Amino acid sequence: MKDRFGRTIDYLRISVTDRCDLRCVYCMPEEGVERVPPDKILSFEEILEVAVTAAAMGVTKIRLTGGEPLVRRGIVHLVGMLAKIPGISDLAMSTNATHLSEYAADLATAGLMRVNISLDSLRPEVFANITRGGNLDSVLSGIDAAEQAGLLPIKLNCVVKRSSDEPDAREVAAFGRERGFDVRFIRIMNFARGEFYIVEGGRGGDCPSCNRLRLSSDGLVHPCLFSDLAFSVRELGAGKALRRAIEMKPKAGGPCTHNWIRAVGG
Ligand code: SAM
């Protein structure tokens, strides 16, 4: 389906949980955030209904995200449900990979095609500081497991302050080259100020070519990461919420009051 600016909307990002086992400094306050009450979190059946409806409207690409998608119980089952939807030719996941060594093989068997993995530094102490206690080794094991399971191509998401020329980013770039993984560099965004940038090596941040909708774990379809517009699938039904989001998708992102990347995913 095309939006009013002629952009073809064929990509749905689904946040399956607002919870995360890491506390990245640019994403979450140290004390964490108020959790979405469990009864507001969409069930797998509700997520499936949105995905099936979106596929019927022309969505061909689905990415599972969060929060951290691997902390949602039953995630492998959800992947299996989504993988069977006719018309979905790309089923991917964004993950911090801390639990990926446990899940990679089952996710691949269930129909997940590929993963994007967050990796901001290869220095264990820097990684622990950025993630407030994360263990780099668990991520590296997760990356190995994803490769073995054939969740390819693996893409690494590296958040940078300004550019890919920073020392940690350069190390991640070298690691990517060595292992044959694409690396995308994402400059730290600021929601209140509406500051976002084109992702180096990726497609994000470029409003004229944006093809995305986002479904948050509490059932809101967000037409734009940098807008407060959102349409509830529980109130409107999946079809109407998706159509409204496409119709109302802003030409470009701007300042917004929320900071729901942690609930909606990047
Ligand atoms: N937990 C999963 C992961 O780590 O990939 C998925 C969700 S995470 C919020 C998605 C991406 O958003 C990550 O690559 C993360 O680094 C990025 N991110 C979060 N807050 C950001 C910010 N303020 N600026 C830039 N990137 C951000």
Side-chain angles (χ1 to χ4, degrees):
M1 208 168 145
K2 282 201 190 289
D3 73 0
R4 63 204 155 119
F5 303 106
R7 296 171 295 197
T8 300
I9 308 303
D10 57 8
Y11 181 8
L12 178 65
R13 292 190 171 207
I14 301 176
S15 174
V16 296
T17 178
D18 61 320
R19 289 168 50 216
C20 188
D21 54 332
L22 299 181
R23 290 276 172 281
C24 296
V25 288
Y26 46 74
C27 189
M28 283 220 200
E30 191 162 13
E31 65 280 10
V33 287
E34 204 178 317
R35 295 261 303 274
V36 175
D39 61 317
K40 290 223 167 138
I41 298 281
L42 292 188
S43 67
F44 287 172
E45 287 67 31
E46 289 175 304
I47 292 174
L48 182 67
E49 192 193 340
V50 177
V52 166
T53 309
M57 290 165 67
V59 163
T60 58
K61 178 173 171 179
I62 289 179
R63 170 178 303 283
L64 296 174
T65 179
E68 169 49 42
L70 296 181
V71 304
R72 172 103 189 226
R73 202 174 304 149
I75 187 69
V76 173
H77 182 58
L78 177 65
V79 166
M81 291 161 79
L82 297 174
K84 293 190 188 77
I85 300 175
I88 298 301
S89 53
D90 188 9
L91 181 57
M93 179 183 283
S94 288
T95 172
N96 62 32
T98 57
H99 295 287
L100 200 51
S101 56
E102 193 183 323
Y103 286 114
D106 289 346
L107 288 167
T109 305
L112 189 73
M113 295 173 190
R114 59 195 185 87
V115 284
N116 284 16
I117 295 173
S118 294
L119 183 64
D120 298 342
S121 173
L122 283 159
R123 290 184 287 166
E125 64 295 346
V126 175
F127 182 85
N129 284 341
I130 294 172
T131 56
R132 294 201 185 91
N135 176 348
L136 179 64
D137 281 342
S138 66
V139 175
L140 297 177
S141 308
I143 292 173
D144 292 345
E147 196 175 25
Q148 272 162 27
L151 292 171
L152 304 170
I154 292 172
K155 295 184 184 173
L156 303 178
N157 286 343
C158 180
V159 174
V160 295
K161 287 198 186 75
R162 297 206 153 268
S163 83
S164 55
D165 209 23
E166 292 158 18
D168 287 294
R170 288 217 301 262
E171 280 180 33
V172 173
F175 174 74
R177 273 195 303 277
E178 209 174 280
R179 297 281 297 262
F181 307 147
D182 288 341
V183 185
R184 299 131 36 93
F185 299 96
I186 306 164
R187 263 184 86 174
I188 292 190
M189 304 179 274
N190 183 298
F191 289 88
R193 293 201 292 268
E195 286 171 2
F196 60 95
Y197 310 88
I198 292 186
V199 171
E200 194 183 322
R203 294 193 54 199
D206 181 35
C207 301
S209 68
C210 183
N211 59 349
R212 303 168 180 186
L213 293 179
R214 292 176 163 86
L215 175 67
S216 58
S217 55
D218 56 351
L220 300 176
V221 183
H222 298 264
C224 170
L225 186 58
F226 275 80
S227 157
D228 288 320
L229 281 174
F231 302 91
S232 164
V233 297
R234 281 194 177 157
E235 282 169 24
L236 299 170
K240 210 181 237 183
L242 288 163
R243 264 194 305 280
R244 289 244 174 108
I246 294 173
E247 282 160 15
M248 301 291 288
K249 188 171 166 70
K251 188 172 185 185
C256 41
T257 58
H258 69 75
N259 183 0
W260 40 253
I261 193 170
R262 50 186 167 249
V264 170

